[in-house]
Amino acid sequence: YARTLGAKVLLSTNSPVSNTQRADQYNWMKGFNPPNAYYANIANTWLVPYANVWGDFTAQANWATALIASSEAHWNHPNCAGYNLMANTIY
């Protein structure tokens, strides 16, 4: 639908939450993200670009403390380094 309106489409995985501070949410989200091919299969089916943000986050050493805002009460959002990695992956 978006393409029929002339929009450019990009499918991206989620950025993860802390796998220690938010383990339940992390494990639930992991079911939709790599290594599961859920998003990649959708992108492939609809022939849209795919950004593997989850995979790029979790491939970094100490990703949970290096890329997630530990000062944020819920360990739920990327910090500046995490947002930079997301931008580079999407770009």
Side-chain angles (χ1 to χ4, degrees):
Y1 178 77
R3 285 189 292 192
T4 65
L5 297 175
K8 292 183 179 182
V9 177
L10 168 76
L11 186 64
S12 173
T13 60
N14 306 86
S15 59
V17 298
S18 170
N19 60 345
T20 55
Q21 301 296 321
R22 304 282 300 217
D24 288 346
Q25 184 180 0
Y26 170 83
N27 287 323
W28 177 80
M29 291 171 67
K30 188 176 180 180
F32 297 98
N33 290 286
N36 184 310
Y38 179 78
Y39 289 116
N41 287 340
I42 292 172
N44 218 14
T45 299
W46 291 99
L47 304 174
V48 297
Y50 167 69
N52 185 358
V53 172
W54 180 283
D56 285 356
F57 258 72
T58 57
Q60 303 291 317
N62 302 313
W63 65 268
T65 54
L67 302 173
I68 304 292
S70 59
S71 61
E72 199 265 317
H74 303 291
W75 293 70
N76 206 28
H77 301 285
N79 60 23
C80 288
Y83 282 120
N84 285 336
L85 178 62
M86 284 176 61
N88 288 335
T89 299
I90 291 169
Y91 179 74

